[in-house]
mmCIF file of all heavy atoms in Angstrom:
data_model
loop_
_atom_site.group_PDB
_atom_site.id
_atom_site.type_symbol
_atom_site.label_atom_id
_atom_site.label_comp_id
_atom_site.label_asym_id
_atom_site.label_seq_id
_atom_site.Cartn_x
_atom_site.Cartn_y
_atom_site.Cartn_z
ATOM 1 N N LEU W 1 -20.673 1.197 -7.335
ATOM 2 C CA LEU W 1 -19.830 1.512 -8.443
ATOM 3 C C LEU W 1 -18.413 1.764 -8.166
ATOM 4 O O LEU W 1 -17.481 1.351 -8.909
ATOM 5 C CB LEU W 1 -20.461 2.806 -9.163
ATOM 6 C CG LEU W 1 -19.752 3.432 -10.335
ATOM 7 C CD1 LEU W 1 -19.681 2.340 -11.560
ATOM 8 C CD2 LEU W 1 -20.284 4.674 -10.846
ATOM 9 N N VAL W 2 -18.105 2.561 -7.038
ATOM 10 C CA VAL W 2 -16.773 2.768 -6.658
ATOM 11 C C VAL W 2 -15.964 1.376 -6.470
ATOM 12 O O VAL W 2 -14.841 1.147 -6.823
ATOM 13 C CB VAL W 2 -16.754 3.671 -5.391
ATOM 14 C CG1 VAL W 2 -15.308 3.705 -4.871
ATOM 15 C CG2 VAL W 2 -17.224 5.118 -5.737
ATOM 16 N N ASP W 3 -16.733 0.587 -5.783
ATOM 17 C CA ASP W 3 -16.117 -0.806 -5.449
ATOM 18 C C ASP W 3 -15.785 -1.596 -6.713
ATOM 19 O O ASP W 3 -14.757 -2.223 -6.788
ATOM 20 C CB ASP W 3 -16.990 -1.543 -4.517
ATOM 21 C CG ASP W 3 -17.039 -1.047 -3.033
ATOM 22 O OD1 ASP W 3 -16.074 -0.314 -2.764
ATOM 23 O OD2 ASP W 3 -17.997 -1.289 -2.332
ATOM 24 N N VAL W 4 -16.778 -1.535 -7.627
ATOM 25 C CA VAL W 4 -16.581 -2.296 -8.861
ATOM 26 C C VAL W 4 -15.391 -1.733 -9.717
ATOM 27 O O VAL W 4 -14.628 -2.423 -10.217
ATOM 28 C CB VAL W 4 -17.921 -2.296 -9.728
ATOM 29 C CG1 VAL W 4 -17.638 -2.793 -11.076
ATOM 30 C CG2 VAL W 4 -18.892 -3.102 -9.042
ATOM 31 N N VAL W 5 -15.313 -0.349 -9.734
ATOM 32 C CA VAL W 5 -14.289 0.302 -10.403
ATOM 33 C C VAL W 5 -12.922 -0.105 -9.892
ATOM 34 O O VAL W 5 -11.950 -0.361 -10.560
ATOM 35 C CB VAL W 5 -14.439 1.807 -10.347
ATOM 36 C CG1 VAL W 5 -13.109 2.549 -10.904
ATOM 37 C CG2 VAL W 5 -15.578 2.207 -11.336
ATOM 38 N N ARG W 6 -12.820 -0.183 -8.566
ATOM 39 C CA ARG W 6 -11.568 -0.497 -7.908
ATOM 40 C C ARG W 6 -11.216 -1.964 -8.238
ATOM 41 O O ARG W 6 -10.013 -2.205 -8.427
ATOM 42 C CB ARG W 6 -11.717 -0.329 -6.382
ATOM 43 C CG ARG W 6 -11.641 1.147 -5.926
ATOM 44 C CD ARG W 6 -11.975 1.276 -4.415
ATOM 45 N NE ARG W 6 -11.923 2.649 -3.890
ATOM 46 C CZ ARG W 6 -12.313 2.971 -2.756
ATOM 47 N NH1 ARG W 6 -12.715 2.026 -1.755
ATOM 48 N NH2 ARG W 6 -12.182 4.243 -2.290
ATOM 49 N N SER W 7 -12.133 -2.834 -8.106
ATOM 50 C CA SER W 7 -11.852 -4.194 -8.413
ATOM 51 C C SER W 7 -11.394 -4.482 -9.839
ATOM 52 O O SER W 7 -10.446 -5.214 -10.100
ATOM 53 C CB SER W 7 -13.099 -5.060 -8.094
ATOM 54 O OG SER W 7 -13.513 -4.985 -6.812
ATOM 55 N N ILE W 8 -12.121 -3.796 -10.786
ATOM 56 C CA ILE W 8 -11.658 -3.894 -12.188
ATOM 57 C C ILE W 8 -10.291 -3.233 -12.410
ATOM 58 O O ILE W 8 -9.479 -3.790 -13.249
ATOM 59 C CB ILE W 8 -12.820 -3.374 -13.055
ATOM 60 C CG1 ILE W 8 -14.030 -4.274 -12.988
ATOM 61 C CG2 ILE W 8 -12.279 -3.282 -14.694
ATOM 62 C CD1 ILE W 8 -15.150 -3.840 -13.945
ATOM 63 N N LEU W 9 -10.172 -2.091 -11.826
ATOM 64 C CA LEU W 9 -8.739 -1.412 -12.017
ATOM 65 C C LEU W 9 -7.656 -2.234 -11.627
ATOM 66 O O LEU W 9 -6.512 -2.243 -12.055
ATOM 67 C CB LEU W 9 -8.815 -0.053 -11.329
ATOM 68 C CG LEU W 9 -9.411 1.073 -12.097
ATOM 69 C CD1 LEU W 9 -9.378 2.319 -11.121
ATOM 70 C CD2 LEU W 9 -8.731 1.401 -13.363
ATOM 71 N N ALA W 10 -7.865 -3.028 -10.564
ATOM 72 C CA ALA W 10 -6.791 -3.840 -9.947
ATOM 73 C C ALA W 10 -6.243 -4.939 -10.950
ATOM 74 O O ALA W 10 -5.187 -5.370 -10.815
ATOM 75 C CB ALA W 10 -7.344 -4.522 -8.741
ATOM 76 N N ILE W 11 -7.108 -5.251 -11.839
ATOM 77 C CA ILE W 11 -6.592 -6.382 -12.803
ATOM 78 C C ILE W 11 -6.604 -5.828 -14.283
ATOM 79 O O ILE W 11 -6.237 -6.694 -15.175
ATOM 80 C CB ILE W 11 -7.574 -7.611 -12.817
ATOM 81 C CG1 ILE W 11 -9.013 -7.210 -12.906
ATOM 82 C CG2 ILE W 11 -7.420 -8.293 -11.365
ATOM 83 C CD1 ILE W 11 -9.643 -7.158 -14.296
ATOM 84 N N ALA W 12 -7.042 -4.483 -14.486
ATOM 85 C CA ALA W 12 -6.925 -4.004 -15.852
ATOM 86 C C ALA W 12 -5.406 -3.884 -16.377
ATOM 87 O O ALA W 12 -4.560 -3.711 -15.468
ATOM 88 C CB ALA W 12 -7.545 -2.633 -15.905
ATOM 89 N N PRO W 13 -5.188 -4.096 -17.602
ATOM 90 C CA PRO W 13 -3.849 -4.010 -18.226
ATOM 91 C C PRO W 13 -3.287 -2.576 -17.950
ATOM 92 O O PRO W 13 -4.132 -1.589 -18.066
ATOM 93 C CB PRO W 13 -4.084 -4.279 -19.655
ATOM 94 C CG PRO W 13 -5.289 -4.992 -19.874
ATOM 95 C CD PRO W 13 -6.202 -4.470 -18.729
ATOM 96 N N SER W 14 -1.968 -2.402 -17.675
ATOM 97 C CA SER W 14 -1.440 -1.188 -17.360
ATOM 98 C C SER W 14 -1.477 -0.132 -18.550
ATOM 99 O O SER W 14 -1.880 1.067 -18.279
ATOM 100 C CB SER W 14 0.028 -1.245 -16.969
ATOM 101 O OG SER W 14 0.794 -1.886 -18.054
ATOM 102 N N GLU W 15 -1.451 -0.645 -19.760
ATOM 103 C CA GLU W 15 -1.571 0.208 -20.881
ATOM 104 C C GLU W 15 -3.013 0.624 -21.183
ATOM 105 O O GLU W 15 -3.261 1.507 -22.003
ATOM 106 C CB GLU W 15 -1.003 -0.455 -22.178
ATOM 107 C CG GLU W 15 -1.712 -1.722 -22.562
ATOM 108 C CD GLU W 15 -1.371 -2.955 -21.877
ATOM 109 O OE1 GLU W 15 -0.444 -2.826 -21.012
ATOM 110 O OE2 GLU W 15 -1.898 -4.063 -22.153
ATOM 111 N N TRP W 16 -3.951 -0.007 -20.509
ATOM 112 C CA TRP W 16 -5.381 0.386 -20.519
ATOM 113 C C TRP W 16 -5.647 1.810 -20.205
ATOM 114 O O TRP W 16 -6.454 2.579 -20.804
ATOM 115 C CB TRP W 16 -6.180 -0.499 -19.652
ATOM 116 C CG TRP W 16 -7.617 -0.107 -19.534
ATOM 117 C CD1 TRP W 16 -8.748 -0.406 -20.216
ATOM 118 C CD2 TRP W 16 -8.154 0.760 -18.404
ATOM 119 N NE1 TRP W 16 -9.860 0.122 -19.708
ATOM 120 C CE2 TRP W 16 -9.567 0.899 -18.591
ATOM 121 C CE3 TRP W 16 -7.530 1.422 -17.378
ATOM 122 C CZ2 TRP W 16 -10.359 1.712 -17.770
ATOM 123 C CZ3 TRP W 16 -8.258 2.202 -16.469
ATOM 124 C CH2 TRP W 16 -9.638 2.246 -16.689
ATOM 125 N N VAL W 17 -4.815 2.353 -19.351
ATOM 126 C CA VAL W 17 -4.904 3.763 -18.933
ATOM 127 C C VAL W 17 -4.811 4.777 -20.097
ATOM 128 O O VAL W 17 -5.567 5.769 -20.222
ATOM 129 C CB VAL W 17 -3.891 4.164 -17.791
ATOM 130 C CG1 VAL W 17 -3.946 5.509 -17.448
ATOM 131 C CG2 VAL W 17 -4.095 3.274 -16.606
ATOM 132 N N LEU W 18 -3.842 4.382 -21.030
ATOM 133 C CA LEU W 18 -3.713 5.234 -22.151
ATOM 134 C C LEU W 18 -4.880 5.241 -23.026
ATOM 135 O O LEU W 18 -5.325 6.253 -23.562
ATOM 136 C CB LEU W 18 -2.492 4.797 -22.964
ATOM 137 C CG LEU W 18 -1.128 4.989 -22.209
ATOM 138 C CD1 LEU W 18 -0.006 4.335 -23.044
ATOM 139 C CD2 LEU W 18 -0.916 6.410 -21.807
ATOM 140 N N ALA W 19 -5.524 4.002 -23.256
ATOM 141 C CA ALA W 19 -6.691 3.942 -24.151
ATOM 142 C C ALA W 19 -7.806 4.700 -23.468
ATOM 143 O O ALA W 19 -8.595 5.308 -24.098
ATOM 144 C CB ALA W 19 -7.091 2.478 -24.296
ATOM 145 N N PHE W 20 -7.995 4.524 -22.175
ATOM 146 C CA PHE W 20 -8.970 5.317 -21.281
ATOM 147 C C PHE W 20 -8.925 6.725 -21.425
ATOM 148 O O PHE W 20 -9.861 7.403 -21.757
ATOM 149 C CB PHE W 20 -8.944 4.822 -19.970
ATOM 150 C CG PHE W 20 -9.931 5.468 -19.048
ATOM 151 C CD1 PHE W 20 -11.271 5.052 -19.195
ATOM 152 C CD2 PHE W 20 -9.668 6.256 -17.950
ATOM 153 C CE1 PHE W 20 -12.295 5.542 -18.387
ATOM 154 C CE2 PHE W 20 -10.608 6.835 -17.196
ATOM 155 C CZ PHE W 20 -12.038 6.523 -17.423
ATOM 156 N N ALA W 21 -7.696 7.231 -21.296
ATOM 157 C CA ALA W 21 -7.388 8.692 -21.475
ATOM 158 C C ALA W 21 -7.724 9.177 -22.873
ATOM 159 O O ALA W 21 -8.315 10.272 -23.044
ATOM 160 C CB ALA W 21 -5.864 9.021 -21.164
ATOM 161 N N ALA W 22 -7.472 8.337 -23.881
ATOM 162 C CA ALA W 22 -7.803 8.622 -25.345
ATOM 163 C C ALA W 22 -9.362 8.782 -25.401
ATOM 164 O O ALA W 22 -9.722 9.629 -26.183
ATOM 165 C CB ALA W 22 -7.218 7.597 -26.289
ATOM 166 N N LEU W 23 -10.139 7.903 -24.820
ATOM 167 C CA LEU W 23 -11.501 8.024 -24.930
ATOM 168 C C LEU W 23 -12.023 9.276 -24.130
ATOM 169 O O LEU W 23 -13.027 9.915 -24.690
ATOM 170 C CB LEU W 23 -12.158 6.812 -24.202
ATOM 171 C CG LEU W 23 -12.034 5.476 -24.949
ATOM 172 C CD1 LEU W 23 -12.539 4.294 -24.177
ATOM 173 C CD2 LEU W 23 -12.786 5.561 -26.302
ATOM 174 N N TRP W 24 -11.400 9.758 -23.077
ATOM 175 C CA TRP W 24 -11.689 11.016 -22.405
ATOM 176 C C TRP W 24 -11.615 12.108 -23.420
ATOM 177 O O TRP W 24 -12.374 13.090 -23.521
ATOM 178 C CB TRP W 24 -10.768 11.212 -21.247
ATOM 179 C CG TRP W 24 -11.210 10.646 -19.963
ATOM 180 C CD1 TRP W 24 -10.846 9.470 -19.442
ATOM 181 C CD2 TRP W 24 -12.252 11.325 -19.101
ATOM 182 N NE1 TRP W 24 -11.565 9.253 -18.226
ATOM 183 C CE2 TRP W 24 -12.335 10.322 -17.993
ATOM 184 C CE3 TRP W 24 -13.012 12.320 -19.134
ATOM 185 C CZ2 TRP W 24 -13.270 10.571 -16.957
ATOM 186 C CZ3 TRP W 24 -13.966 12.606 -18.040
ATOM 187 C CH2 TRP W 24 -14.026 11.670 -16.968
ATOM 188 N N VAL W 25 -10.376 12.070 -24.167
ATOM 189 C CA VAL W 25 -10.118 13.160 -25.184
ATOM 190 C C VAL W 25 -11.224 13.126 -26.184
ATOM 191 O O VAL W 25 -11.764 14.257 -26.581
ATOM 192 C CB VAL W 25 -8.748 12.954 -25.670
ATOM 193 C CG1 VAL W 25 -8.534 14.022 -26.902
ATOM 194 C CG2 VAL W 25 -7.626 13.192 -24.739
#
């Protein structure tokens, strides 16, 4: 899981972080 997350994060759009944070909220 850690390896998959790292691989996907490497190519995820930079603004994706904001959407991900919103889902956390």
Side-chain angles (χ1 to χ4, degrees):
L1 177 62
V2 171
D3 289 341
V4 170
V5 169
R6 286 176 178 170
S7 298
I8 291 180
L9 278 177
I11 53 87
S14 57
E15 64 278 356
W16 167 88
V17 176
L18 296 177
F20 182 67
L23 288 174
W24 272 100
V25 172

